[in-house]
Amino acid sequence: MIAPRDGEAAGPLEYLLQLMHMRLPLGVVNANELRLVSLLKATGLIEAQLWSPGEAKNRYWESSTATVTRITEHGIAELARMSLDLLRSSQDNTARTLTPLAYLRQLEGGAFPVRVEDRAAIGSIALLKAAALLDATISSVSPLYPDNPQQALFLRITPLGREELARRTLGEVPPTRSPAEQALLRTAFS
């Protein structure tokens, strides 16, 4: 499941982001993934059951299998924080990539569905999907074919997405949203 970038090992938060797109419960047997599951469980970001063969000889032992059952509320909050950080960083790189709003506006008048393989665009789609502004499916990287690119299938802009696009055109921020939601949307659409 983990697709390291340029020889780097995936970190716990990258793995958490991947788990968000996986069907849970998820069985895990890969040693690197078991270490990440153990870390995420210990920090309270996921709920998982870890199993080890034989008896433990000390307080910590290597697990041989695990089942991830769900992402906790703390895990979801961490994903939201990561999304906000990613939105901010995407705005810092506007010369290199489109902001999520610019990408959504670019697709607004097009025909759907749209298949996407560009990493930056998939990142925008994931953020917009998390904000419920569009419907899309995002594939995970296959452990059998790690060289195959990740893909997203952009299905439609949701009514909420169209509403936000219209509001942003007029420069309004909806007063019915929580301060955190308003800050996220201002960051995404500025």
Side-chain angles (χ1 to χ4, degrees):
M1 182 164 104
I2 299 175
R5 291 179 303 217
D6 304 327
E8 296 177 9
L13 296 178
E14 290 171 322
Y15 189 73
L16 181 64
L17 186 59
Q18 290 178 9
L19 286 173
M20 183 177 78
H21 300 291
M22 303 299 293
R23 181 172 296 198
L24 299 178
L26 174 71
V28 178
V29 295
N30 175 284
N32 291 330
E33 291 181 25
L34 286 167
R35 181 184 58 80
L36 295 170
V37 167
S38 177
L39 286 168
L40 291 169
K41 179 180 179 182
T43 55
L45 300 178
I46 64 170
E47 287 183 4
Q49 181 68 44
L50 299 157
W51 292 279
S52 178
E55 272 188 46
K57 296 186 175 30
N58 57 29
R59 287 185 65 194
Y60 179 79
W61 67 91
E62 294 277 328
S63 297
S64 61
T65 61
T67 300
V68 177
T69 54
R70 75 179 194 98
I71 299 174
T72 66
E73 291 77 18
H74 294 295
I76 292 168
E78 184 62 26
L79 287 170
R81 188 195 60 75
M82 286 172 47
S83 296
L84 185 58
D85 291 346
L86 192 58
L87 281 169
R88 287 183 179 141
S89 70
S90 73
Q91 290 175 337
D92 294 339
N93 298 323
T94 54
R96 192 172 57 96
T97 61
L98 293 173
T99 64
L101 174 63
Y103 187 71
L104 191 61
R105 285 204 189 280
Q106 182 182 16
L107 294 173
E108 184 177 21
F112 304 114
V114 175
R115 185 170 304 282
V116 179
E117 290 184 2
D118 177 69
R119 282 181 124 173
I122 291 172
S124 290
I125 289 171
L127 293 172
L128 293 165
K129 179 181 178 182
L133 300 179
L134 61 79
D135 286 332
T137 58
I138 301 172
S139 69
S140 59
V141 177
S142 168
L144 299 175
Y145 305 103
D147 294 333
N148 288 355
Q150 184 177 25
Q151 296 181 353
L153 186 61
F154 177 70
L155 302 170
R156 71 181 183 105
I157 298 173
T158 64
L160 179 62
R162 293 200 183 278
E163 181 182 314
E164 291 299 330
L165 282 171
R167 282 192 178 114
R168 298 303 162 200
T169 300
L170 299 174
E172 297 176 12
V173 175
T176 59
R177 301 204 185 279
S178 72
E181 288 175 316
Q182 288 182 12
L184 178 63
L185 289 169
R186 272 195 299 275
T187 302
F189 294 106
S190 59

